[in-house]
Tab-separated table of all heavy atoms in Angstrom:
chain	number	residue	atom	x	y	z
T	118	GLY	N	-11.280	-4.427	4.441
T	118	GLY	CA	-12.117	-3.736	3.445
T	118	GLY	C	-12.168	-4.603	2.195
T	118	GLY	O	-11.721	-5.715	2.053
T	119	SER	N	-12.905	-4.045	1.138
T	119	SER	CA	-12.937	-4.727	-0.157
T	119	SER	C	-11.835	-4.331	-1.080
T	119	SER	O	-11.458	-3.196	-1.189
T	119	SER	CB	-14.287	-4.352	-0.836
T	119	SER	OG	-14.167	-4.649	-2.096
T	120	PRO	N	-11.278	-5.308	-1.881
T	120	PRO	CA	-10.298	-5.022	-2.798
T	120	PRO	C	-10.759	-3.976	-3.816
T	120	PRO	O	-9.989	-3.292	-4.392
T	120	PRO	CB	-9.980	-6.371	-3.460
T	120	PRO	CG	-10.566	-7.331	-2.666
T	120	PRO	CD	-11.671	-6.832	-1.888
T	121	ASP	N	-12.109	-3.917	-4.077
T	121	ASP	CA	-12.697	-2.973	-4.993
T	121	ASP	C	-12.326	-1.437	-4.558
T	121	ASP	O	-12.600	-0.518	-5.287
T	121	ASP	CB	-14.170	-3.129	-5.186
T	121	ASP	CG	-14.419	-4.403	-5.965
T	121	ASP	OD1	-13.518	-4.994	-6.456
T	121	ASP	OD2	-15.644	-4.769	-5.972
T	122	GLY	N	-12.046	-1.321	-3.265
T	122	GLY	CA	-11.732	0.105	-2.681
T	122	GLY	C	-10.280	0.363	-2.705
T	122	GLY	O	-9.946	1.495	-2.287
T	123	VAL	N	-9.425	-0.556	-3.220
T	123	VAL	CA	-8.028	-0.361	-3.039
T	123	VAL	C	-7.351	0.088	-4.319
T	123	VAL	O	-7.448	-0.639	-5.396
T	123	VAL	CB	-7.365	-1.629	-2.514
T	123	VAL	CG1	-5.789	-1.389	-2.360
T	123	VAL	CG2	-7.860	-2.069	-1.182
T	124	ALA	N	-6.623	1.174	-4.370
T	124	ALA	CA	-5.853	1.638	-5.455
T	124	ALA	C	-4.336	1.526	-5.084
T	124	ALA	O	-3.955	1.710	-3.927
T	124	ALA	CB	-6.167	3.070	-5.891
T	125	LEU	N	-3.463	1.291	-6.121
T	125	LEU	CA	-2.050	1.138	-5.964
T	125	LEU	C	-1.378	2.329	-6.487
T	125	LEU	O	-1.419	2.736	-7.630
T	125	LEU	CB	-1.470	-0.088	-6.716
T	125	LEU	CG	-2.339	-1.400	-6.510
T	125	LEU	CD1	-1.696	-2.507	-7.282
T	125	LEU	CD2	-2.511	-1.792	-5.041
T	126	VAL	N	-0.718	3.052	-5.549
T	126	VAL	CA	0.095	4.348	-5.950
T	126	VAL	C	1.411	4.385	-5.476
T	126	VAL	O	1.697	3.609	-4.454
T	126	VAL	CB	-0.847	5.595	-5.504
T	126	VAL	CG1	-2.136	5.662	-6.190
T	126	VAL	CG2	-1.063	5.515	-4.002
T	127	PRO	N	2.302	5.228	-5.889
T	127	PRO	CA	3.662	5.200	-5.444
T	127	PRO	C	3.879	5.881	-4.055
T	127	PRO	O	4.608	5.405	-3.247
T	127	PRO	CB	4.525	6.023	-6.430
T	127	PRO	CG	3.542	6.273	-7.651
T	127	PRO	CD	2.199	6.087	-7.096
T	128	THR	N	3.199	7.018	-3.759
T	128	THR	CA	3.412	7.697	-2.504
T	128	THR	C	2.051	8.179	-1.888
T	128	THR	O	0.995	8.246	-2.539
T	128	THR	CB	4.193	8.987	-2.751
T	128	THR	OG1	3.521	9.836	-3.591
T	128	THR	CG2	5.536	8.630	-3.400
T	129	VAL	N	2.195	8.513	-0.556
T	129	VAL	CA	1.002	9.094	0.124
T	129	VAL	C	0.562	10.377	-0.478
T	129	VAL	O	-0.557	10.615	-0.719
T	129	VAL	CB	1.311	9.171	1.617
T	129	VAL	CG1	0.251	9.941	2.378
T	129	VAL	CG2	1.504	7.734	2.229
T	130	ALA	N	1.610	11.238	-0.791
T	130	ALA	CA	1.284	12.572	-1.389
T	130	ALA	C	0.351	12.384	-2.584
T	130	ALA	O	-0.611	13.148	-2.741
T	130	ALA	CB	2.531	13.298	-1.582
T	131	MET	N	0.658	11.393	-3.401
T	131	MET	CA	-0.131	11.219	-4.624
T	131	MET	C	-1.490	10.698	-4.302
T	131	MET	O	-2.432	10.967	-5.003
T	131	MET	CB	0.634	10.330	-5.593
T	131	MET	CG	1.769	10.978	-6.316
T	131	MET	SD	2.766	9.923	-7.312
T	131	MET	CE	1.550	9.632	-8.710
T	132	ALA	N	-1.556	9.812	-3.305
T	132	ALA	CA	-2.901	9.359	-2.843
T	132	ALA	C	-3.744	10.519	-2.405
T	132	ALA	O	-4.916	10.701	-2.708
T	132	ALA	CB	-2.739	8.280	-1.727
T	133	VAL	N	-3.118	11.370	-1.571
T	133	VAL	CA	-3.949	12.544	-0.984
T	133	VAL	C	-4.294	13.506	-2.130
T	133	VAL	O	-5.466	13.879	-2.168
T	133	VAL	CB	-3.040	13.292	0.046
T	133	VAL	CG1	-3.882	14.403	0.600
T	133	VAL	CG2	-2.618	12.329	1.129
T	134	ALA	N	-3.443	13.709	-3.123
T	134	ALA	CA	-3.742	14.623	-4.184
T	134	ALA	C	-4.894	14.122	-5.004
T	134	ALA	O	-5.762	14.970	-5.448
T	134	ALA	CB	-2.499	14.811	-5.057
T	135	GLN	N	-5.045	12.903	-5.132
T	135	GLN	CA	-6.137	12.396	-5.953
T	135	GLN	C	-7.539	12.696	-5.448
T	135	GLN	O	-8.542	12.766	-6.181
T	135	GLN	CB	-6.021	10.877	-6.181
T	135	GLN	CG	-4.749	10.377	-6.745
T	135	GLN	CD	-4.945	9.486	-8.005
T	135	GLN	OE1	-5.843	9.688	-8.841
T	135	GLN	NE2	-4.168	8.404	-8.011
T	136	ILE	N	-7.632	12.829	-4.147
T	136	ILE	CA	-8.809	13.256	-3.522
T	136	ILE	C	-8.932	14.756	-3.387
T	136	ILE	O	-9.990	15.387	-3.788
T	136	ILE	CB	-9.064	12.557	-2.117
T	136	ILE	CG1	-8.858	11.084	-2.191
T	136	ILE	CG2	-10.335	13.003	-1.453
T	136	ILE	CD1	-9.718	10.353	-3.147
T	137	ALA	N	-7.817	15.381	-2.935
T	137	ALA	CA	-7.862	16.772	-2.696
T	137	ALA	C	-8.199	17.605	-3.925
T	137	ALA	O	-8.934	18.575	-4.007
T	137	ALA	CB	-6.442	17.260	-2.138
Side-chain angles (χ1 to χ4, degrees):
S119 161
D121 289 350
V123 179
L125 314 182
V126 293
T128 64
V129 169
M131 283 175 73
V133 181
Q135 301 232 44
I136 305 306

